[in-house]
Amino acid sequence: MKPTQRLPNGVTVYKWPHNVEPTAESVAAEMARFGFRSYDLQTVPPWFFRSRHAHDEEEIRGAVTGVTTFHFDEGPVTLEAGDILIIPSGVQHEVRSHNGRTFSAYKGSRSGERHVTEHGDGRGSVEALAREGEA
């Protein structure tokens, strides 16, 4: 699959190339084609905001449902169901859903384990969402 968008910071987007609706399984299979394994299917609420942060390692996102936008210094990238986003390590970004629908996406790594250290205030992180769910 050829990238449909590449930012100067190395961020790469692959738009869903198939003429069928993506499913959780088909998105995970696409991620695997890039040498990544998923470790978390994260669902975020409407009007979600994840403050500016970066990761120690390369990150991949495979959108399953909904629409959200990743904001980079070089500009915004909007993901919709089926799209794959690869963010190089150290690239600062924010995530914002500009709509009233939930968004779900796989997060993944080359190893398939979540060992990425996030830099930022943690607002909107997987851990923060889990704490909100416990309240």
Side-chain angles (χ1 to χ4, degrees):
M1 184 183 328
K2 291 184 180 181
T4 53
Q5 184 177 6
R6 191 175 304 231
L7 299 180
N9 59 8
V11 168
T12 308
V13 180
Y14 299 86
K15 299 303 274 183
W16 185 247
H18 310 292
N19 292 328
V20 297
E21 289 290 320
T23 64
E25 294 78 18
S26 62
V27 170
E30 288 293 326
M31 290 171 66
R33 291 181 54 201
F34 293 101
F36 289 85
R37 293 181 13 211
S38 59
Y39 57 76
D40 182 31
L41 177 57
Q42 181 182 25
T43 299
V44 297
W47 311 110
F48 175 77
F49 174 71
R50 172 64 169 98
S51 59
R52 188 173 172 87
H53 66 286
H55 305 270
D56 284 343
E57 295 185 14
E58 186 177 34
E59 176 185 18
I60 189 169
R61 286 296 192 110
V64 176
T65 61
V67 177
T68 200
T69 302
F70 286 71
H71 294 268
F72 301 96
D73 291 344
E74 293 78 5
V77 171
T78 298
L79 290 188
E80 54 192 353
D83 295 348
I84 303 291
L85 171 69
I86 299 175
I87 305 171
S89 64
V91 173
Q92 295 282 324
H93 56 285
E94 293 178 356
V95 184
R96 184 180 297 270
S97 294
H98 299 275
N99 60 69
R101 296 179 302 278
T102 59
F103 173 78
S104 66
Y106 279 112
K107 290 180 89 170
S109 66
R110 299 266 180 205
S111 69
E113 295 182 21
R114 186 175 196 275
H115 54 80
V116 175
T117 301
E118 296 187 17
H119 301 283
D121 63 12
R123 184 171 166 222
S125 67
V126 173
E127 293 80 9
L129 289 171
R131 284 192 299 273
E132 286 176 18
E134 295 169 0

